[in-house]
Amino acid sequence: MGFLLPKSCDRISWHQKSLWSVYPVDHIGRPEGTAMRVASHPTEEYGKAPEWPWSQDMHDFFLQGKKRSANAATNDFRAMKQNVYFASCGFATSDARVRVEANGDVAVRAAVESDGRVLLSAFNYWRFPSLEWGNYTGVSGPPAVTEYELSFRLTDEKSYLG
């Protein structure tokens, strides 16, 4: 299920059941946090080592070449948040939020569309087949459940946990 949000969507906040108990503070798999859509660092330069963590990269020259997208977002913003209890997207122009509420059994992803809008999607099944070769790739098959309950809420709460 997904919702198409306006271009003013500038952050995602979440609380999730993480795979491990300890993460670096800027790791994309951390149990909770807020990820900004646009990084505060200077633009990446080809051939120059960045002075910020990978989670704050907005362009990958190896995967995307030298041409930049006008609608880029940080790796932290775009990363899938798995086993989510709460996740919310906030907007630069408002205190409003679109919030997903679950029982730690769905994944949420914010993807920037070509026109700059953000697609907030919730999944009850996800895998990472390209990570095979001994890595954890997710559950082996989709759930047998054909009905699923998920809450999306419009709110103006400042805390995504509240």
Side-chain angles (χ1 to χ4, degrees):
M1 173 180 258
F3 282 95
L4 195 55
L5 305 175
K7 294 177 185 181
S8 61
C9 176
D10 69 343
R11 73 185 67 93
I12 184 168
S13 299
W14 69 93
H15 178 68
Q16 68 182 354
K17 178 174 54 179
S18 295
L19 186 59
W20 309 111
S21 58
V22 178
Y23 287 83
V25 69
D26 61 348
H27 193 280
I28 63 171
R30 63 194 182 274
E32 59 185 38
T34 297
M36 300 305 292
R37 178 175 173 174
V38 178
S40 59
H41 60 71
T43 303
E44 295 95 337
E45 292 182 42
Y46 182 74
K48 183 178 177 188
E51 298 176 3
W52 51 84
W54 176 85
S55 62
Q56 295 304 303
D57 278 357
M58 292 184 59
H59 185 79
D60 186 318
F61 292 102
F62 180 75
L63 295 175
Q64 300 160 327
K66 291 183 180 180
K67 186 177 181 186
R68 296 178 188 283
S69 169
N71 298 312
T74 63
N75 289 329
D76 204 12
F77 182 86
R78 297 180 302 108
M80 183 177 292
K81 317 307 182 210
Q82 303 174 60
N83 303 310
V84 168
Y85 297 113
F86 306 100
S88 68
C89 280
F91 306 93
T93 56
S94 168
D95 285 337
R97 307 264 189 283
V98 174
R99 178 171 139 154
V100 176
E101 300 174 352
N103 295 318
D105 53 0
V106 299
V108 173
R109 173 176 280 155
V112 181
E113 300 290 296
S114 60
D115 64 0
R117 294 183 295 171
V118 173
L119 179 62
L120 176 64
S121 301
F123 306 93
N124 68 338
Y125 172 68
W126 62 97
R127 288 208 62 214
F128 305 99
S130 62
L131 292 179
E132 290 179 359
W133 303 26
N135 294 308
Y136 175 76
T137 60
V139 295
S140 59
V145 179
T146 56
E147 291 184 25
Y148 208 79
E149 186 172 323
L150 179 70
S151 298
F152 277 80
R153 181 182 299 191
L154 299 175
T155 180
D156 62 355
E157 294 174 1
K158 298 208 185 286
S159 169
Y160 65 93
L161 295 174

